[in-house]
Amino acid sequence: MGSKIKKLFLFGQVSKYSLEDFERKEMIAFDYYKSYTNYINKHYPFPNGLVFEYVEKFSINGSASYEKNKSVISINVGTILRIYTLFYNILSNFSIIESLDHLSKDHINIQNIYTYNDESIPYSYNYSYPLNRERIIIAEYMAMFAIKFIINHEAGHHINGHLGYIHSITSLKMIDPIREDYSNIIPTLDLQTIEMDADAFAIAQLVRTLLLTTQDKFISNYIDDFATFIRMFVSSIHLLFLLMDQGTPKSIFNTHTSNYLPALIRSILAVDCMEENLRIVFPNMINHDYLQEISTDSLLKANEYFIKINGNKNFDSLEDYDIAYYNRVIKKNWKQLRPKLQKYATVDLAK
């Protein structure tokens, strides 16, 4: 194993989305995602600018808020660390895409400690790290999709008027359904619809990232067909939803009291949104049945991998939920909620 470890550390930074540069012994992902928000700030209307900050907490969470009239996106440090941990672990044990089937699953265990700037107790986290370069690259691209989804979801709360609308009713200057209970003031269905709209905004932005990724010469050395990119993308988003739902059973099963819909429903609606956005770019090239087949297979396999890594069972099959029902309910409520949000949005909202 010693020679393999020596070879591993020669990798240094494997891709532009690497969590760490082992050669320089530096965490590099945090700077990358902070710079990514500069791109969002330049391309979307934030009247008083956008501020991005990391919060030194180790749960998975993000929030949108106003501070001194500026739009703020906050992401927990643990969000970055736990997402990379998940994808490195999965790619160390499973292939995700067919081109990895013949490649070695050898890996080493990485033990790291993240220390606060103050004297708080350090956070220890461990993960399996693939010794195969291709597996590392796929893991890092999948982590990139997941983290950019969270960042764009929070940006959507600002841009689509969610934060302004909630502030007008509650006087709160933050959207963070994990920490804040708005349900005694705002109907749960409205909150679920707002969260689904933020998901839809994030997916719309990520479809652009997906299309750019298909032209990325670095990863195209390993993936040469669009269907495989779809598999990787859908698996990334669904695994993220499962990770966020971990440890919060009410958000999985109780759709009447949770501000979020269950992970599977969010995944299916996200896939529908992905298809709608792809049709805008390729109106005559998207085969609905084929795309659904790929997406369904990817969802079920991702769930299987997650269970084997984490031991959590979130759903048995796609028949566990009436997806069409939730789709109808959310879309019907959106028509009523849209005019209220448009007053505070900085873009024209979807009809």
Side-chain angles (χ1 to χ4, degrees), residues 84-223:
Y84 274 97
T85 293
L86 173 65
F87 287 106
Y88 284 141
N89 282 341
I90 285 182
L91 269 296
S92 292
N93 292 278
F94 309 104
S95 293
I96 294 289
I97 56 177
E98 290 183 5
S99 61
L100 299 179
D101 284 343
H102 67 288
L103 300 177
S104 170
K105 294 179 183 176
D106 286 350
H107 57 271
I108 61 171
N109 294 320
I110 302 289
Q111 296 181 333
N112 273 343
I113 295 177
Y114 182 95
T115 55
Y116 287 102
N117 291 327
D118 55 25
E119 296 180 357
S120 301
I121 298 174
Y123 172 71
S124 176
Y125 63 100
N126 308 318
Y127 59 91
S128 299
Y129 190 87
L131 290 175
N132 177 269
R133 186 182 181 89
E134 293 177 39
R135 289 182 177 275
I136 296 171
I137 291 167
I138 299 301
E140 291 174 352
Y141 272 73
M142 292 180 75
M144 174 272 292
F145 284 129
I147 294 169
K148 285 186 178 180
F149 176 90
I150 292 178
I151 293 172
N152 279 291
H153 175 101
E154 301 305 336
H157 281 318
H158 285 289
I159 294 168
N160 285 8
H162 306 161
L163 191 56
Y165 171 65
I166 287 180
H167 176 64
S168 71
I169 297 174
T170 67
S171 297
L172 292 170
K173 293 185 177 182
M174 171 181 286
I175 292 185
D176 184 352
I178 292 177
R179 288 189 288 176
E180 301 287 352
D181 182 12
Y182 317 104
S183 57
N184 59 335
I185 304 174
I186 302 174
T188 298
L189 180 57
D190 283 0
L191 294 172
Q192 291 174 344
T193 303
I194 283 172
E195 290 301 328
M196 292 310 303
D197 185 48
D199 281 0
F201 178 88
I203 290 294
Q205 313 317 309
L206 283 187
V207 164
R208 299 176 188 177
T209 302
L210 172 63
L211 296 176
L212 289 173
T213 302
T214 63
Q215 302 169 36
D216 184 335
K217 293 182 179 179
F218 186 79
I219 195 172
S220 62
N221 290 326
Y222 312 105
I223 300 178

Side-chain angles (χ1 to χ4, degrees), residues 13-26:
Q13 179 182 350
V14 177
S15 78
K16 57 186 173 183
Y17 306 125
S18 293
L19 173 62
E20 303 180 56
D21 184 327
F22 288 104
E23 209 168 34
R24 293 185 295 166
K25 298 181 181 180
E26 292 181 5

Side-chain angles (χ1 to χ4, degrees), residues 9 22 44 54 59 74 105 131 165 169 247 263 290 351:
F9 282 91
F22 288 104
Y44 295 97
Y54 287 112
S59 58
S74 303
K105 294 179 183 176
L131 290 175
Y165 171 65
I169 297 174
Y290 181 57
K351 296 181 179 180

Side-chain angles (χ1 to χ4, degrees), residues 32-50:
Y32 171 79
Y33 291 107
K34 190 165 188 175
S35 66
Y36 173 69
T37 60
N38 294 332
Y39 167 85
I40 297 175
N41 192 20
K42 291 177 182 178
H43 288 80
Y44 295 97
F46 295 91
N48 296 305
L50 174 65

